[in-house]
Amino acid sequence: MNKKDLRIVYMGTPDFAVESLRVLVENDYNVVGVITMPDKPAGRGYKIQFSPIKQYALEKGLPLLQPEKLKDPVFLEELKALNADLQIVVAFRMLPEVVWNMPRFGTFNLHASLLPQYRGAAPINWAVINGDAETGVTTFFLTHEIDTGNIILQEKVAIGESETAGDIHDKLMITGSRLVQKTVDMIIDENVSAMPQPDVMTLKAAPKIFKETCKIDWNQNVSTVYNLIRGLAPYPAAWSFLKTDNGEELNVKIFETEKEPATHTLTCGSIVIESPKQVKVAVIDGFIRLKSIQVAGKKRMSVEDFLRGNKLTEAYKFE
């Protein structure tokens, strides 16, 4: 089969999904339709914003569908009319069987982990939060249970000790786009041998991240706190209350830190001002040195800039 003969419908929404679509379009694969989420208001003005996938699809003149409900009969008829041979899902939403089972070659998903590990909504964040040394991407065919289908291809990616979830997101986005293209080529060549996911004694989960997930517990060891912060940076960001000497509580997001193992007798959450440019926070077995933060209502800034504009004393405390 020629790649022009394979009719592809692509489903995705965020930035992560754009790179794989771009690779397909720029390499002349036959993308006959794009499915993305409906437009939603965002930002302080609640203005309607297009998803990154919609923006790219409009730029390239690709047919676009934005269903509210994936079982809507009108949408299903529109999808069927695209006459897809294959559907590709990258960072979209859970599909009903009537959708994923429609094309003759089925539907495959790109997932940002080495399945079966980190099934769920936030695999990149949790791999970094858990201090893993590697993660990866997987293409697999969709089936009834989420993230459990037969594996087509996988590729590993190292996680550097100082890398954030944002760094790994970008690495996996590029690696994943290559894996999507390779998977499509295997389907075109009828050379796919998908394998069931292996049985693993201990599975690491990747559930959706909520605000409370992001709150820092300074009564943890230095590696746990450090990994939580980088695993949530730059979004949604770890946070904590900074209690001032007059009892005021400032909500502070923390994006970039360094860790310093050390023995000390300070209360966890206590701050140490090392210089007019440096501040660190005590944890059980050391300190977390703050590098960039954002106080509620302010822009993200370096700690040096924050200290320059705010009178901070060691009577302040994170809690």
Side-chain angles (χ1 to χ4, degrees):
M1 180 190 300
N2 188 287
K3 65 182 177 182
K4 282 290 188 183
D5 297 328
L6 185 75
R7 297 176 62 84
I8 297 171
V9 165
Y10 188 93
M11 303 182 183
T13 297
D15 286 321
F16 187 85
V18 174
E19 184 64 18
S20 292
L21 179 57
R22 185 190 66 77
V23 165
L24 294 172
V25 170
E26 293 187 0
N27 286 280
D28 297 322
Y29 291 85
N30 189 18
V31 179
V32 298
V34 173
I35 318 298
T36 192
M37 295 284 281
D39 303 333
K40 291 184 178 181
R44 290 186 177 181
Y46 287 94
K47 294 181 180 179
I48 295 295
Q49 292 190 358
F50 295 167
S51 73
I53 279 289
K54 179 174 180 176
Q55 292 177 28
Y56 183 83
L58 291 175
E59 289 171 9
K60 298 300 179 181
L62 299 171
L64 183 70
L65 296 176
Q66 294 181 271
E68 289 281 352
K69 297 180 180 179
L70 296 177
K71 291 184 179 180
D72 184 329
V74 174
F75 164 67
L76 292 175
E77 283 301 314
E78 291 174 327
L79 182 60
K80 188 175 181 180
L82 293 174
N83 195 28
D85 299 305
L86 174 70
Q87 291 174 162
I88 300 171
V89 179
V90 182
F92 188 48
R93 56 198 281 196
M94 188 174 180
L95 302 183
E97 182 176 0
V98 68
V99 173
W100 59 256
N101 203 29
M102 191 178 291
R104 64 186 178 119
F105 290 123
T107 300
F108 79 79
N109 178 233
L110 173 71
H111 188 73
S113 80
L114 298 173
L115 290 173
Q117 299 295 354
Y118 295 114
R119 293 169 178 158
I124 298 173
N125 301 98
W126 285 108
V128 180
I129 289 169
N130 289 335
D132 290 359
E134 69 176 13
T135 184
V137 282
T138 302
T139 54
F140 69 98
F141 285 115
L142 291 190
T143 187
H144 291 93
E145 297 295 324
I146 190 167
D147 297 339
T148 61
N150 288 352
I151 291 173
I152 307 168
L153 292 171
Q154 290 187 315
E155 186 166 342
K156 294 180 180 180
V157 169
I159 302 176
E161 189 176 350
S162 63
E163 287 186 308
T164 66
D167 297 326
I168 303 306
H169 168 282
D170 293 349
K171 289 168 68 171
L172 293 182
M173 181 174 65
I174 300 300
T175 302
S177 69
R178 294 196 299 263
L179 207 68
V180 165
Q181 183 179 10
K182 188 173 180 181
T183 300
V184 173
D185 288 343
M186 291 173 66
I187 290 170
I188 290 171
D189 295 338
E190 299 182 15
N191 188 31
V192 175
S193 180
M195 301 293 292
Q197 295 187 25
D199 291 327
V200 178
M201 290 289 292
T202 303
L203 285 176
K204 299 176 181 178
K208 186 175 180 179
I209 290 174
F210 297 96
K211 183 177 180 180
E212 278 307 305
T213 314
C214 304
K215 190 174 189 303
I216 300 169
D217 179 1
W218 300 100
N219 295 292
Q220 301 271 1
N221 65 53
V222 67
S223 291
T224 298
V225 176
Y226 175 74
N227 290 339
L228 177 75
I229 293 167
R230 68 190 184 98
L232 295 169
Y235 182 83
W239 65 276
S240 182
F241 287 119
L242 177 60
K243 196 165 186 176
T244 69
D245 50 8
N246 63 8
E248 181 185 2
E249 285 186 340
L250 302 177
N251 189 310
V252 179
K253 290 182 177 180
I254 300 174
F255 298 96
E256 186 183 357
T257 64
E258 294 174 349
K259 60 180 179 177
E260 179 188 323
T263 301
H264 63 79
T265 58
L266 295 173
T267 302
C268 292
S270 300
I271 66 170
V272 177
I273 300 172
E274 297 182 293
S275 74
K277 297 181 179 181
Q278 291 187 316
V279 62
K280 60 187 181 183
V281 186
V283 294
I284 289 177
D285 56 350
F287 298 94
I288 298 293
R289 183 174 288 106
L290 307 183
K291 305 296 288 183
S292 68
I293 63 174
Q294 182 179 10
V295 178
K298 306 286 186 180
K299 292 182 178 181
R300 177 176 171 176
M301 65 183 74
S302 69
V303 166
E304 181 179 348
D305 287 341
F306 175 78
L307 291 173
R308 188 179 296 119
N310 294 270
K311 185 179 179 181
L312 192 66
T313 73
E314 292 187 356
Y316 285 40
K317 186 177 184 296
F318 277 103
E319 56 182 37

